[in-house]
Amino acid sequence: MNQQPSPETTDERGGHADRERPEQALIPAPGHRLSQGASAAVLLLHGGRADALRPPTRLNLPGLRMRPFATALTRATTHPDVLVAHVRYRHRGWNGRHAHPVADARRALDELRAIAGPVPVVLVGHSMGGRAALRAADDPQVRGVVALAPWCPPDEPTAHLRARAVVALHDENDGVTRAADTWAYLTRARKAEARVHGVRMPRGGHAMIGDAGLWHRITAAAAAALLGLAPYPVALAGLADADPHTIGTPSPEG
């Protein structure tokens, strides 16, 4: 991470840290519903701040940023029994040792398991949500993680990623989270016996605006492949190799 203390930098304190919110953590994307018939799932985790105890606002830009990814994931999976859903956060920030979005991801996984059973899951997270997805990957249902411009501090643990697949997309011109930290994280994850693949995105910055369609396509194709619903795309061909730690730049076609 650069000089900023967090992916979405304002230090906001307020609300009640331990306030319970009754809403469910798992919010199906449009066209999806949580049911016993689900055979697999992709859960999306949006970005946030280092410190913010208030809940996300109704007009939540980090959450809105993930909607086109949900649309692309729905198209890529194409199976009616594959659930695409967003994780609802109780708090807007990571909040130090509390790691609140990790707890929310675990709540969502528990809700999914209670209704659909132990179905395979891919977690897709951006920025703070990428860090949360990587932390929550120790859940036995999680097949892999697609991390988008993730927040990966140098001391972020990786030992729990053994036998998991991790795909990370990052623009090296990102001014909020550091791509170099992401590549270093992948190196540590590989030593922990994870299957990893890094993709240097040619544009997009932290908000993934430039070449947005390419971000959407690679993410959706990676998630579908990790669930076994499609072959690995060319941009991620190295993920299936015997020595799968590669960092490449995708073609414009993805």
Side-chain angles (χ1 to χ4, degrees), residues 13-243:
R13 295 271 180 196
H16 301 283
D18 295 323
R19 181 176 62 184
E20 291 296 328
R21 300 181 71 207
E23 297 93 348
Q24 66 187 52
L26 198 59
I27 308 301
H32 293 265
R33 63 187 182 88
L34 184 57
S35 70
Q36 293 179 343
S39 63
V42 182
L43 307 187
L44 295 106
L45 295 90
H46 64 72
R49 299 180 175 182
D51 297 288
L53 294 174
R54 296 187 187 278
T57 60
R58 186 174 298 277
L59 182 60
N60 179 30
L61 181 59
L64 293 175
R65 192 174 286 142
M66 300 307 289
R67 289 187 181 180
F69 285 95
T71 300
L73 286 159
T74 297
R75 291 172 179 165
T77 54
T78 66
H79 292 67
D81 55 351
V82 176
L83 173 70
V84 176
H86 301 269
V87 174
R88 188 204 304 268
Y89 296 162
R90 289 176 294 180
H91 307 280
R92 198 172 180 180
W94 183 269
N95 301 318
R97 63 182 177 80
H98 297 290
H100 282 130
V102 181
D104 293 326
R106 297 195 192 286
R107 285 195 308 129
L109 287 163
D110 286 345
E111 289 175 10
L112 175 65
R113 188 160 35 237
I115 293 176
V119 299
V121 175
V122 169
L123 301 177
V124 175
H126 173 237
S127 192
M128 181 192 77
R131 183 182 183 186
L134 290 163
R135 280 278 187 101
D138 59 353
D139 187 283
Q141 288 185 239
V142 176
R143 291 273 186 91
V145 174
V146 183
L148 310 171
W151 176 21
C152 294
D155 60 349
E156 189 66 17
T158 59
H160 63 287
L161 294 173
R162 185 176 185 275
R164 302 296 195 277
V166 178
V167 178
L169 284 62
H170 218 138
D171 175 3
E172 295 194 336
N173 293 316
D174 189 330
V176 178
T177 56
R178 298 181 66 246
D181 289 343
T182 296
W183 312 146
Y185 180 90
L186 292 184
T187 297
R188 299 196 306 276
R190 182 186 177 226
K191 291 177 180 178
E193 299 184 36
R195 294 186 301 127
V196 304
H197 191 98
V199 181
R200 286 190 177 98
M201 298 301 291
R203 294 178 59 205
H206 191 68
M208 309 175 292
I209 294 174
D211 283 335
L214 185 59
W215 287 81
H216 301 157
R217 290 193 299 275
I218 294 176
T219 298
L226 292 174
L227 288 175
L229 301 175
Y232 286 99
V234 173
L236 303 180
L239 195 61
D241 294 344
D243 185 16

